[in-house]
Amino acid sequence: METDTHTHNHDHGHDDDHGGLAHNHAVAGDLRIALGVNVLFTGIEFAGGLLTNSVAILADAVHDLGDSVTLGIALIMERIAGKGRTQQLTFGYRRFSVLGALITGLVLVVGSITVLIHTIPRMLAPEAVNTTGMIGLSLLGIAMNTVAALRLSRTDSMNARAAFLHLMEDVFGWIAVLTGAIAIRLWGLLWLDPLLSIGINFYIVFRAIPIFVRALRVLLQYAPGSLSVDEVSELITEVPGVEDAHDVHLWTLDGNYTLLSAHVVADADTTLSALEPLKHEIRSALRDKGIQHVTLELESSSAGCSDCDL
């Protein structure tokens, strides 16, 4: 490369869209099964909570109703996310999966706080409950939610992982209700029922907030948590033939698919024939760090960057 020549060469690395589409269809299938199980059991919970007079079960029924809504949203978003790119959405619909996770996290937080507000007065005036019915519903809840959760445990979709977390929270919640029902039956500790409801909802809020924050960071185009711009810039400049890297942008579409764009300054003595191997070496180094989509603009060290960001 001659030192008086300013060379811009745009290079893009792309993953196969078909693999992403197949992945989204598989996730959507798992979400459909989880949704069906959750809707069925939500109806059972409401009936069982009224029959047993258990505020813990009714609180979990309200929570499961919210889960059913958010699982439905998650399914819709996942199916949309599986669509290919368009003229307007040049990266496709991947971000809709993150939007589903954001809505899910928000609904969980708001729903849990609402249930807490209605449960605390019950703590001050405990009422008798049907422990036999509570134990039976608890065992059924553990079984049904475990089956649904296992369907979602094998995916790395942020949206499906959020739904998986909801179902696992339900499993742990039902284990707590089962333990409480046994304690109430043995020792008559009626205050355990509202206390369990309060504990379950505090746990849900504690776990839902990180989901909401992570989805928000993705939508605001934060750099992925495992990478930094300085780290990536240093990685690029370590490639032989690279003098500098600047105007580096790093973000993720959905928490899994990471993108990078950068201006790369090649050494003054780099020939034109060496540019292509140089680009491939940079892309290979970046892919080893989990960056799937790479856009590079090559520049000569003797020319300034006329279109860099301020």
Side-chain angles (χ1 to χ4, degrees), residues 16-205:
D16 183 3
D17 283 343
H18 296 293
L21 293 177
H23 174 266
N24 283 102
H25 286 313
V27 172
D30 292 335
L31 283 170
R32 275 194 297 271
I33 294 175
L35 174 61
V37 172
N38 213 73
V39 169
L40 173 64
F41 191 64
T42 296
I44 296 174
E45 275 185 293
F46 273 112
L50 293 172
L51 290 173
T52 60
N53 195 35
S54 170
V55 70
I57 291 179
L58 285 174
D60 203 79
V62 172
H63 173 230
D64 273 359
L65 177 62
D67 275 358
S68 296
V69 174
T70 53
L71 278 169
I73 293 173
L75 175 59
I76 293 170
M77 294 300 181
E78 201 66 44
R79 295 187 69 173
I80 293 174
K83 294 182 179 180
R85 66 186 68 181
T86 68
Q87 290 294 321
Q88 288 74 36
L89 291 169
T90 56
F91 282 111
Y93 291 76
R94 290 175 182 263
R95 279 277 169 91
F96 281 81
S97 176
V98 183
L99 181 60
L102 186 72
I103 295 172
T104 298
L106 182 61
V107 168
L108 274 180
V109 171
V110 173
S112 295
I113 292 175
T114 302
V115 172
L116 279 171
I117 292 173
H118 288 84
T119 301
I120 291 175
R122 180 74 173 260
M123 187 74 185
L124 302 176
E127 299 178 11
V129 295
N130 183 332
T131 54
T132 301
M134 288 179 68
I135 291 172
L137 281 171
S138 299
L139 293 174
L140 183 61
I142 292 170
M144 295 187 71
N145 282 284
T146 298
V147 169
L150 289 175
R151 292 289 305 189
L152 299 179
S153 63
R154 58 192 181 185
T155 178
D156 57 0
S157 162
M158 181 187 292
N159 191 25
R161 293 298 295 179
F164 165 76
L165 178 58
H166 300 169
L167 294 170
M168 286 307 301
E169 286 168 352
D170 285 343
V171 172
F172 293 130
W174 279 113
I175 291 174
V177 171
L178 174 62
T179 304
I182 294 173
I184 294 171
R185 187 180 185 88
L186 294 177
W187 299 297
L189 305 176
L190 297 179
W191 49 267
L192 268 179
D193 183 52
L195 181 63
L196 284 169
S197 177
I198 292 171
I200 291 168
N201 282 286
F202 268 118
Y203 175 76
I204 292 168
V205 171

Side-chain angles (χ1 to χ4, degrees), residues 12-15 85 91 94-95 98 156 158 214 218 221-229 231-232 235 248-261 283 285-295:
H12 306 269
H14 304 279
D15 274 0
R85 66 186 68 181
F91 282 111
R94 290 175 182 263
R95 279 277 169 91
V98 183
D156 57 0
M158 181 187 292
R214 185 185 175 204
V218 171
Q221 294 189 321
Y222 275 65
S226 59
L227 296 169
S228 70
V229 171
E231 177 186 358
V232 171
L235 182 66
V248 178
H249 299 273
L250 182 66
W251 71 103
T252 176
L253 280 182
D254 57 4
N256 300 310
Y257 191 83
T258 304
L259 305 91
L260 175 139
S261 67
R283 287 168 55 189
L286 294 173
R287 283 181 181 276
D288 289 341
K289 286 291 184 179
I291 301 174
Q292 295 94 334
H293 186 107
V294 178
T295 302

